[in-house]
């Protein structure tokens, strides 16, 4: 059942779905793998990510909807249900700074990401092209640079000013702030990917995918 607080999320311009069982997840993955969509936005949340972390929530977004996968409730098996999608080389996964996400998926769930387009990597490539010093930009900064209208419309200034407490990712039900943060974290990654590809003259994103593989 969809938590009511999601209806107030700024990202709710597309349907938002709460996925908490393996059966629900299996049906979702089957549908997404059979879709002709070339890319899918992905993010992970938990009290701590990385090699020794704990994954509580995984967010997916297509152009048609946003899907919040409740790992805290569904357990490790729900992550395994998503693994065919995450490991597929046919579906590009769009992340912003995938390193900690990739680490927890590999070391805690034995899932190896493939075909990743990392928007932080793409931003660094853009800086290189401009002969600027490279650095690790936040998602908010990259949105401000390439999709400033989206940044303003969805009040990302509020998200930046209200720091998320990591321990709250294990709470059920999730608090409204966490739900909004989760949905917004993936809602704009696909438009951002397309904007970055245009800026880089990389229409298929192959350059960024190759660079992201070594990130």
């Amino acid at each position: 059942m969809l938590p009511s607080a999601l209806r107030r999320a700024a990202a709710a311009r597309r349907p938002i779905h709460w996925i908490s069982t393996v059966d629900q997840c299996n049906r979702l993955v089957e549908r997404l793998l059979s879709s002709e969509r070339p890319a899918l936005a992905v993010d992970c949340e938990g009290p701590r990510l990385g090699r020794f972390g704990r994954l509580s929530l995984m967010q997916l977004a297509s152009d048609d909807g946003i899907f919040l996968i409740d790992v805290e409730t569904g357990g490790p098996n729900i992550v395994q249900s998503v693994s065919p999608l995450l490991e597929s080389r046919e579906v590009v996964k769009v992340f912003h700074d995938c390193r900690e996400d990739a680490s927890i998926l590999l070391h805690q769930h034995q899932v190896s990401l493939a075909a990743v387009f990392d928007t932080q990597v793409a931003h660094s490539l853009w800086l290189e092209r401009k002969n600027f010093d490279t650095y690790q930009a936040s998602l908010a900064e990259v949105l401000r640079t390439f999709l400033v209208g989206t940044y303003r419309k969805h009040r990302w200034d509020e998200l930046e000013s209200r720091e998320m407490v990591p321990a709250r990712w294990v709470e059920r039900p999730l608090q409204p702030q966490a739900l909004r943060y989760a949905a917004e974290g993936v809602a704009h990654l696909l438009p951002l990917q397309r904007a970055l590809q245009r800026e880089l003259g990389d229409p298929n994103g192959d350059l960024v995918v190759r660079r992201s593989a070594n990130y």
Side-chain angles (χ1 to χ4, degrees):
M1 183 176 179
L2 184 67
S4 61
L6 276 179
R7 301 188 186 102
R8 298 192 296 273
R13 305 297 187 266
R14 282 168 281 170
I16 300 177
H17 307 274
W18 186 261
I19 308 293
S20 59
T21 71
V22 171
D23 285 345
Q24 288 177 314
C25 199
N26 284 338
R27 290 194 295 271
L28 170 64
V29 169
E30 182 178 0
R31 179 159 65 85
L32 291 174
L33 283 172
S34 64
S35 169
E36 295 181 359
R37 300 290 188 272
L40 189 71
V42 187
D43 192 20
C44 296
E45 303 294 353
R48 180 185 177 189
L49 298 179
R51 184 185 185 98
F52 303 106
R54 174 178 172 181
L55 181 60
S56 298
L57 188 74
M58 184 184 302
Q59 307 103 277
L60 307 178
S62 67
D63 286 324
D64 300 324
I66 296 170
F67 310 91
L68 304 184
I69 299 175
D70 185 1
V71 179
E72 197 67 34
T73 300
N77 287 340
I78 207 168
V79 181
Q80 292 305 310
S81 295
V82 191
S83 63
L85 190 64
L86 299 176
E87 295 182 333
S88 170
R89 297 190 176 277
E90 305 302 318
V91 179
V92 173
K93 275 70 66 177
V94 182
F95 283 80
H96 183 83
D97 191 1
C98 69
R99 292 170 297 175
E100 293 291 275
D101 299 33
S103 181
I104 195 170
L105 288 168
L106 178 62
H107 295 289
Q108 296 290 327
H109 299 280
Q110 294 73 54
V111 175
S112 182
L113 292 175
V116 169
F117 182 108
D118 194 310
T119 55
Q120 190 175 78
V121 171
H123 179 258
S124 292
L125 282 168
W126 178 77
L127 291 172
E128 289 178 13
R129 297 274 182 89
K130 299 290 186 181
N131 293 317
F132 296 147
D133 291 336
T134 61
Y135 60 93
Q136 294 169 2
S138 68
L139 176 55
E141 181 175 352
V142 181
L143 280 173
R144 278 200 309 272
T145 303
F146 297 100
L147 295 176
V148 66
T150 296
Y151 178 92
R152 291 171 177 164
K153 180 179 180 180
H154 292 271
R155 298 303 307 271
W156 266 71
D157 57 324
E158 293 181 351
L159 292 175
E160 286 190 280
S161 65
R162 299 175 185 173
E163 187 172 339
M164 183 67 195
V165 178
R168 290 191 170 178
W169 290 116
V170 305
E171 296 177 355
R172 294 296 179 273
L174 283 175
Q175 296 300 307
Q177 179 196 10
L179 290 167
R180 181 185 174 195
Y181 189 101
E184 289 282 351
V186 290
H188 314 297
L189 285 177
L190 295 181
L192 184 58
Q193 175 205 23
R194 293 189 280 265
L196 286 161
Q197 288 177 175
R198 288 193 298 271
E199 286 288 333
L200 293 169
D202 183 24
N204 296 319
D206 295 337
L207 176 62
V208 176
V209 169
R210 288 196 300 270
R211 181 75 71 93
S212 298
N214 298 318
Y215 197 40

